[in-house]
Amino acid sequence: GDSVTQMEGPVTLSEEAFLTINCTYTATGYPSLFWYVQYPGEGLQLLLKATKADDKGSNKGFEATYRKETTSFHLEKGSVQVSDSAVYFCALGSSNTGKLIFGQGTTLQVKP
Amino acid sequence: DTGVSQNPRHKITKRGQNVTFRCDPISEHNRLYWYRQTLGQGPEFLTYFQNEAQLEKSRLLSDRFSAERPKGSFSTLEIQRTEQGDSAMYLCASSLGALGRTEAFFGQGTRLTVV
């Protein structure tokens, strides 16, 4: 069945460091891919999305490119801030299955 | 519309009691989803509706769990004879159309603690 695998955390970075959180997926058909973020004490918020191969999603300085050949959707940011500290979830959504499948989440902690 | 709304935000119950949670989706959204999230894990799919029809139920959803979406508007999730293992955050989400083309919007969740 469909699945999503994320790199394990926690990831600890200093402010202004470069961030990469790896995400790979297994899916039938042509899913959409998403990154959701969960700040402490808050609900899940959509960070960015890509609906087809080679699409790049971007928001708040974060980017991810839908790579069909490597079945990946890695999240990147060039310069992280303390306020980016949160849990990041990679997810796929499929018209075939009708549901979102999430990875296990990666905790990011950014230190000043 | 202020987004997906879930009530209550927190619920503490004794083992063996029944609990019911409510979700009000974004008004024009035809799809509604229930997920469960435990500490340190990603959300796990429970069930989803298109309008009033329940289209899929996860094997995680035992016979003690039931969900409804009368008239295709709000939804309720009931857990009967609660067990300590039911303690989790229960998340509701809604979308306009299939997730292959659009995104889901999540509520704040209902945190259930079974003592």
Side-chain angles (χ1 to χ4, degrees):
Chain A
D2 296 352
S3 67
V4 175
T5 302
Q6 287 180 239
M7 64 184 286
E8 289 195 19
V11 174
T12 303
L13 295 173
S14 297
E15 211 165 18
E16 299 183 2
F18 184 86
L19 169 71
T20 300
I21 300 178
N22 290 338
C23 171
T24 57
Y25 69 91
T26 303
T28 55
Y30 302 95
S32 290
L33 298 173
F34 307 91
W35 277 99
Y36 281 84
V37 59
Q38 191 170 35
Y39 297 103
E42 298 186 15
L44 283 166
Q45 302 174 27
L46 178 69
L47 180 59
L48 53 84
K49 68 175 183 180
T51 57
K52 61 183 187 298
D54 300 325
D55 269 3
K56 178 186 281 188
S58 61
N59 186 26
K60 299 182 182 179
F62 291 89
E63 293 182 338
T65 301
Y66 188 161
R67 302 280 188 207
K68 191 167 182 286
E69 64 276 13
T70 54
T71 61
S72 64
F73 193 55
H74 305 320
L75 183 68
E76 296 182 337
K77 186 175 185 183
S79 176
V80 294
Q81 306 300 312
V82 172
S83 57
D84 294 326
S85 298
V87 183
Y88 292 82
F89 293 95
C90 184
L92 72 83
S94 169
S95 296
N96 291 344
T97 63
K99 61 195 180 192
L100 269 177
I101 304 295
F102 285 87
Q104 72 271 33
T106 302
T107 299
L108 171 65
Q109 184 177 19
V110 181
K111 296 187 173 179
Chain B
D1 192 355
T2 56
V4 179
S5 176
Q6 291 188 246
N7 287 288
R9 292 290 306 279
H10 304 274
K11 178 71 177 178
I12 300 174
T13 191
K14 292 184 178 179
R15 189 161 48 103
Q17 297 294 303
N18 299 343
V19 294
T20 300
F21 310 140
R22 177 179 170 124
C23 172
D24 288 273
I26 294 173
S27 58
E28 67 269 24
H29 285 186
N30 59 341
R31 292 202 171 193
L32 186 149
Y33 312 83
W34 285 100
Y35 283 80
R36 181 171 66 189
Q37 186 179 18
T38 53
L39 197 63
Q41 300 297 315
E44 296 173 299
F45 171 79
L46 294 179
T47 188
Y48 86 99
F49 295 82
Q50 178 163 298
N51 300 314
E52 66 275 11
Q54 189 173 19
L55 296 188
E56 186 177 344
K57 291 172 59 173
S58 165
R59 283 171 290 180
L60 292 174
L61 219 61
S62 75
D63 290 345
R64 298 184 297 104
F65 288 71
S66 63
E68 294 182 343
R69 192 184 182 197
K71 302 178 183 178
S73 56
F74 71 92
S75 176
T76 58
L77 178 68
E78 181 183 16
I79 309 174
Q80 297 181 326
R81 305 181 303 282
T82 52
E83 302 173 356
Q84 287 190 320
D86 297 331
S87 296
M89 177 75 85
Y90 290 84
L91 300 171
C92 177
S94 69
S95 69
L96 182 61
L99 289 174
R101 297 185 181 279
T102 186
E103 66 264 27
F105 293 84
F106 282 81
Q108 298 276 66
T110 295
R111 182 169 295 284
L112 173 66
T113 303
V114 181
V115 297

